[in-house]
């Protein structure tokens, strides 16, 4: 019994299996993305809610002006993890990201754990981000005299007099349609959106830098170093998304070369912009005044540049839209990959004959996210998504180290420098941020995994492709 259990818990996929999956006609996806597309995909996912919303709250409540150090700390943790992602994505050009890396390096059971974790990260982030989009959109319309009724802009649990959040549902439906008609179209819309929101961020930097008052940076550490770590744990939400680049490996023309460029390039550009914005934001306005859902727009108003608020609000809407676009894309590819392996029902890996997109996976994500965004409040979703992302980073770093020792001869078009130490540093950095999260977040994570275990032992382990091959042998 013990040997039988061990055999299915730790059964692994091979590189040959991975490559054959990508060439099977019934699962084949279009290879249309370039390195530029991948960098834009990463920027589309990273620059959004974090820079336009979370920065102000984290500065006011957690770190003060030292939010700059929080961004550097979170960026370092992500950088070490990104190096591991880059190596694995260049080796295994397949949808599924960390899920497939774990399947190859550590076996089916841990692959299921990380796949279920990635579903938590992507799918639960979508309703939370769409609610932020809804707030900016409603405010922007209100500023030009168009007021959406309270019953249509909030659910009953989100605000008094609310019934359903129609703007949140509407943007998710638009995102779903773009994902449905193809990855090339999705990437084109994302590239345009990224160009605009980067322009808005640079506009703020070069406009507001002249209003910086060094006195606002004192005291620099009002909450101490504990506040810096707490701030890093919260703003980690701002960095989630660069890992979504790795889910696009199967649709990239030259993944061995372009995946590392896309992952590391998007993370590097985003980190520099985050540091610059947070330094200037806390320099022009006291951190005590930044506890606002639109801190960048508020800062411009306080320094007498109210005319620029509309541009920033529009930039925030576009920025959050591209985050939704990339997160939705990543969520469908994770479910597609797990379904193709038999761990989820095969219906979710069926590909549209014309658009070559996982149609039913898109339907599933659309239904689930619109129901949650339309009717439920999600006050703690950022922390829950953060802990799921952090766990994915830890397991990716472990998988890279394990493969270096267990399969050293596998071709590596990009080799993470300094292994195993860079992997160990990634694990240490990320774990230090994980322990800074509230215990309630850990409880919710455990409940999510208990649900996942029931699905795996009840369905996945019997129906996986490897299980069927094992039975035949």
């Amino acid at each position: 019994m013990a040997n039988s259990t061990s055999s299915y818990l730790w059964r692994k996929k091979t590189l040959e299996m991975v490559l054959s999956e990508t060439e099977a006609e019934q699962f084949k996806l279009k290879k249309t993305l370039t390195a530029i597309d991948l960098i834009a995909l990463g920027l589309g996912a990273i620059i959004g809610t974090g820079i336009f919303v979370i920065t102000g709250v984290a500065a006011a409540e957690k770190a003060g002006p030292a939010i700059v150090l929080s961004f550097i700390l979170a960026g370092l943790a992500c950088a070490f993890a990104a190096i591991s992602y880059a190596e694995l994505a260049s080796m295994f050009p397949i949808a599924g990201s960390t899920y497939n890396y774990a399947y190859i390096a550590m076996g089916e059971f841990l692959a299921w754990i990380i796949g279920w974790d990635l579903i938590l990260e992507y799918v639960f982030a979508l309703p939370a981000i769409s609610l932020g989009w809804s707030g900016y959109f409603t405010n922007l319309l209100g500023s030009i005299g168009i007021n959406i009724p309270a019953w249509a802009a909030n659910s009953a649990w989100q605000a008094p007099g609310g019934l359903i959040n129609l703007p949140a549902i509407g943007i998710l439906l638009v995102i779903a349609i773009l994902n449905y008609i193809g990855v090339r179209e999705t990437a084109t819309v994302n590239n345009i959106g990224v160009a605009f929101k980067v322009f808005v961020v640079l506009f703020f930097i070069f406009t507001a830098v002249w209003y910086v008052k060094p006195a606002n940076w004192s005291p620099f550490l009002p909450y101490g170093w504990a506040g810096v770590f707490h701030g890093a744990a919260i703003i980690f939400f701002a960095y989630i998304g660069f890992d979504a680049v790795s889910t696009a490996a199967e649709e990239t023309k030259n993944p061995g070369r372009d995946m590392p460029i896309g992952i590391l390039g998007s993370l590097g550009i985003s980190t520099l912009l985050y540091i610059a914005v947070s330094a200037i934001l806390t320099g022009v306005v006291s951190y005590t005044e930044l506890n606002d859902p639109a801190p960048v727009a508020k800062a411009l108003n306080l320094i007498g540049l109210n005319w620029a608020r509309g541009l920033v609000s529009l930039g925030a809407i576009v920025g959050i839209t591209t985050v939704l676009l990339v997160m939705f894309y990543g969520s469908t590819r994770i479910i597609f990959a797990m379904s193709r392996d038999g761990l989820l029902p095969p219906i979710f890996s069926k590909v549209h004959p014309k658009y070559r997109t996982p149609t039913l996976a898109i339907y599933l994500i659309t239904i689930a996210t619109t129901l949650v965004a339309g009717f439920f409040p999600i006050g703690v979703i950022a922390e829950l998504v953060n802990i799921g992302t952090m766990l994915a980073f830890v397991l990716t770093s472990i998988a890279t180290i394990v493969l270096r020792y267990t399969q050293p001869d596998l071709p590596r078009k990009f080799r993470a420098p300094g292994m195993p130490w860079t992997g160990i540093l990634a694990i240490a950095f990320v774990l230090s941020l994980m322990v800074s999260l509230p215990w309630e977040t850990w409880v919710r994570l455990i409940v999510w995994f208990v649900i996942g275990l029931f699905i795996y032992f009840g369905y996945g382990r019997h129906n996986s492709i490897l299980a069927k091959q094992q039975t035949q042998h």
Side-chain angles (χ1 to χ4, degrees), residues 345-395:
I347 192 172
F348 297 120
S349 54
K350 287 189 176 181
V351 175
H352 193 283
K354 177 182 178 181
Y355 301 122
R356 310 308 296 175
T357 52
T359 308
L360 290 167
I362 291 173
Y363 290 159
L364 175 66
I365 299 300
T366 303
I367 293 169
T369 56
T370 52
L371 285 175
V372 175
F375 296 100
F376 294 93
I378 312 178
V380 297
I381 196 66
E383 290 178 348
L384 186 57
V385 173
N386 279 356
I387 199 169
T389 306
M390 291 173 187
L391 181 59
F393 288 3
V394 168
L395 291 177

Side-chain angles (χ1 to χ4, degrees), residues 66-80 220 228 232 235 239 271 274-275 278 429:
I67 191 67
V68 174
L69 299 181
S70 298
F71 271 114
I72 293 173
L73 183 62
L76 277 175
C78 290
F80 287 124
F220 188 69
V228 172
I235 62 171
Y239 283 102
T271 301
Y274 277 150
I275 292 171
S278 60
F429 268 107

Side-chain angles (χ1 to χ4, degrees), residues 4 9 12 29 43-44 51 62 88 94 100 119 135 154 183 199 205 228 279 322-323 369 389 412 458:
S4 174
L9 286 179
K12 299 176 182 178
L29 303 172
L43 292 175
I51 204 165
K62 303 296 181 182
L88 295 178
I94 188 169
N100 264 311
I119 292 174
N154 300 280
V183 67
F199 163 76
I205 291 172
V228 172
T322 61
V323 175
T369 56
T389 306
R412 291 169 168 82

Side-chain angles (χ1 to χ4, degrees), residues 16-35:
E16 292 73 21
M17 292 176 62
V18 167
L19 296 178
S20 66
E21 286 177 3
T22 65
E23 295 304 319
E25 186 60 33
Q26 70 270 32
F27 300 128
K28 201 164 188 178
L29 303 172
K30 282 185 180 179
K31 294 183 180 295
T32 63
L33 301 179
T34 65

Side-chain angles (χ1 to χ4, degrees), residues 15 22 25 41 44 95 121 129 140 210 241 310 349 353-354 374 434:
L15 178 59
T22 65
E25 186 60 33
L41 201 67
E121 174 188 345
I129 297 169
L140 184 62
W210 307 103
S349 54
K354 177 182 178 181
M434 289 179 74

Side-chain angles (χ1 to χ4, degrees), residues 70 74 228-237 386 390 433-434 436-437:
S70 298
V228 172
F229 277 87
H230 289 158
I234 296 300
I235 62 171
F236 203 87
F237 188 85
N386 279 356
M390 291 173 187
L433 297 180
M434 289 179 74
S436 298
L437 291 170

Side-chain angles (χ1 to χ4, degrees), residues 106-287:
M106 296 178 287
E108 183 175 282
F109 180 66
L110 287 177
W112 167 264
I113 292 293
I114 192 59
W116 191 242
D117 174 65
L118 288 171
I119 292 174
L120 168 74
E121 174 188 345
Y122 288 114
V123 177
F124 278 73
L126 284 166
I129 297 169
S130 69
L131 291 176
W133 185 96
S134 175
Y136 265 103
F137 181 72
T138 302
N139 288 334
L140 184 62
L141 289 183
S143 68
I144 59 175
I146 302 174
N147 296 307
I148 299 177
W151 67 266
N154 300 280
S155 74
W157 291 348
Q158 290 166 4
L163 178 63
I164 183 173
N165 197 318
L166 290 179
I169 292 176
I171 188 59
L172 286 171
L173 290 175
V174 171
I175 297 299
I177 291 170
L178 286 170
N179 274 272
Y180 183 88
I181 62 176
V183 67
R184 180 67 266 164
E185 291 75 11
T186 300
T188 299
V189 173
N190 179 69
N191 292 352
I192 295 170
V194 165
F196 179 71
K197 70 179 177 182
V198 169
F199 163 76
V200 171
V201 171
L202 292 175
F203 168 81
F204 171 76
I205 291 172
F206 289 110
T207 301
V209 68
W210 307 103
Y211 296 88
V212 168
K213 298 177 181 177
N216 286 326
W217 289 328
S218 181
F220 188 69
L221 288 162
Y223 302 102
W225 281 100
V228 172
F229 277 87
H230 289 158
I234 296 300
I235 62 171
F236 203 87
F237 188 85
Y239 283 102
I240 69 169
F242 82 81
D243 56 326
V245 177
S246 63
T247 68
E250 201 167 326
E251 293 158 281
T252 300
K253 292 180 179 179
N254 188 352
R257 181 198 67 187
D258 295 343
M259 291 307 297
I261 295 173
I263 292 171
L264 298 174
S266 60
L267 179 63
I269 294 170
S270 301
T271 301
L272 291 176
L273 291 176
Y274 277 150
I275 292 171
V277 168
S278 60
I280 293 171
L281 192 63
T282 54
V284 299
V285 178
S286 170
Y287 71 92

